[in-house]
Amino acid sequence: MAIATTESYAAMLDAAKAGGYAFPAINITSSSSVTAAIQGFAEAESDGIIQVSVGGGQYASGSTIKDAVVGSLALAAYARVVAEKYGVTIALHTDHCHKVYLEEWLKPLLKLEAESIAAGNGPIFNSHMWDGSSVPMDENLAIAEELLELSQAADTILEIEIGVVGGEEDGHSAEVNDKLYSTPEDGIATIEKLGLGEKGRYMTAMTFGNVHGAYKPGAVKLRPEILGDIQAAAAAKFGKEKPFDLVFHGGSGSTAEEIATAVSHGVIKMNIDTDTQYAYTRPVVDHMMKNYDGVLKVDGEWGNKKAYDPRAWGKLAEAGMAARVVEACEQLGSAGKKI
């Protein structure tokens, strides 16, 4: 088991949809967070997805370089080597590419992958997300159609967003209003443009009140039943039960019931970032506070090297994040399931 192939990724997604569960998709920004995410999947005995955003890619390239392509490739390369040791299948994904980043991030990656396929090798990532939530629906789907064709050449799966996720994510923000709720008409228009798989496989993030960021349960007004309405309307028109492979964005603060309802309507991937960021950072804070005079050279002293060695607090951070990944796998039903 290691990084997913095109075939094993499709098998993962098919198994999730048939089995009524979903995979956590964990955002990563560094080699340490890659290790933490994979460790969590291994501890849960679950296959899983790790994903890099444009900001994550920029950071991974070096904070003075900020090259999203370079950082994305670096994280993928690290994951490809490390994942070999963990006994689960890990898919690689790029997250939330807005229009402004198409030419400098997503399209260059797809071009590199198409070249890799043409040379007889596999793709670098398994899937990529086009986030057209900030452009008109017609433009969103027109760009999605173009990217779906490029994804076919790159042997990858495309993820799209239909509707708007509120809040702030990776420097992009959206208002919390009625646009947060996709409609059956949106779903039908999507299939009319992108097909039912004959033009290439794609996943769809339909919105049902989702908001990025940190929220307490109940603060965000989710209506996951909307997903069932969209699936039913599309099934009635096109004759295919649950035609959409759905993705759940902005899940922080969601109740267990809301998550279960969304999964029952065909969600097979749920993005998790805010919660794992906190789970990674919280043990570091605890370590620093408990070892204040060891991590700092207070009053002319020399501190304690064992306390400020990055490995000391780094492994605590990784363990904390891994535990949150295990929790997500258990909540989404992927724990104990490996292809």
Side-chain angles (χ1 to χ4, degrees), residues 276-311:
T276 46
Q277 287 177 343
Y278 182 79
Y280 184 94
T281 301
R282 181 64 183 83
V284 180
V285 174
D286 188 56
H287 174 83
M288 299 301 175
M289 294 181 72
K290 287 181 177 179
N291 296 279
Y292 178 82
D293 57 350
V295 297
L296 294 177
K297 297 179 179 181
V298 179
D299 296 330
E301 296 297 327
W302 290 96
N304 181 354
K305 183 181 184 300
K306 291 182 179 180
Y308 58 74
D309 183 337
R311 291 170 293 183

Side-chain angles (χ1 to χ4, degrees), residues 15-293:
K17 194 167 187 179
Y21 61 91
F23 292 108
I26 308 299
N27 280 72
I28 45 97
T29 58
S30 65
S31 60
S32 180
S33 57
V34 170
T35 299
I38 298 176
Q39 177 183 328
F41 285 121
E43 291 175 358
E45 296 186 340
S46 169
D47 296 327
I49 302 167
I50 60 175
Q51 57 191 25
V52 55
S53 66
V54 64
Q58 290 171 341
Y59 175 78
S61 73
S63 57
T64 61
I65 303 300
K66 296 183 179 179
D67 188 317
V69 171
V70 169
S72 299
L73 294 175
L75 291 171
Y78 177 81
R80 197 169 295 278
V81 173
V82 170
E84 294 279 353
K85 298 292 184 179
Y86 282 87
V88 291
T89 300
I90 301 296
L92 299 175
H93 177 78
T94 63
D95 189 31
H96 282 288
C97 181
H98 294 277
K99 184 179 178 180
V100 68
Y101 297 118
L102 280 174
E103 301 300 329
E104 66 182 72
W105 183 42
L106 182 50
K107 286 186 177 180
L109 288 174
L110 286 168
K111 182 175 184 292
L112 287 171
E113 288 170 327
E115 291 170 352
S116 179
I117 297 299
N121 302 311
I124 302 164
F125 287 86
N126 301 105
S127 54
H128 300 279
M129 184 199 175
W130 150 239
D131 186 343
S133 61
S134 60
V135 301
M137 182 70 166
D138 288 348
E139 183 181 5
N140 183 354
L141 291 178
I143 293 173
E145 185 177 38
E146 175 194 1
L147 293 173
L148 188 58
E149 184 175 348
L150 294 176
S151 295
Q152 282 288 89
D155 203 18
T156 60
I157 293 172
L158 181 68
E159 180 183 330
I160 63 172
E161 185 165 313
I162 302 299
V164 178
V165 175
E168 193 275 335
E169 174 82 356
D170 215 37
H172 179 83
S173 61
E175 294 181 7
V176 177
N177 54 36
D178 289 343
K179 293 182 180 180
L180 303 186
Y181 301 95
S182 299
T183 66
E185 291 74 20
D186 293 334
I188 289 170
T190 299
I191 293 176
E192 287 176 339
K193 191 71 169 178
L194 303 182
L196 288 164
E198 70 278 6
K199 295 182 180 181
R201 186 167 188 170
Y202 62 94
M203 296 182 284
T204 309
M206 296 288 185
T207 57
F208 50 100
N210 318 61
V211 180
H212 288 131
Y215 297 90
K216 294 180 180 180
V220 177
K221 305 303 181 184
L222 293 180
R223 294 168 55 197
E225 66 277 5
I226 285 176
L227 301 179
D229 295 340
I230 294 171
Q231 292 274 39
K237 183 171 180 64
F238 299 103
K240 181 179 179 180
E241 185 180 0
K242 289 185 180 178
F244 289 107
D245 293 336
L246 295 175
V247 181
F248 187 158
H249 288 196
S252 295
S254 303
T255 66
E257 182 180 4
E258 289 166 340
I259 292 172
T261 300
V263 172
S264 74
H265 291 311
V267 165
I268 57 174
K269 172 179 180 280
M270 179 174 172
N271 290 7
I272 301 174
D273 187 17
T274 301
D275 289 355
T276 46
Q277 287 177 343
Y278 182 79
Y280 184 94
T281 301
R282 181 64 183 83
V284 180
V285 174
D286 188 56
H287 174 83
M288 299 301 175
M289 294 181 72
K290 287 181 177 179
N291 296 279
Y292 178 82
D293 57 350

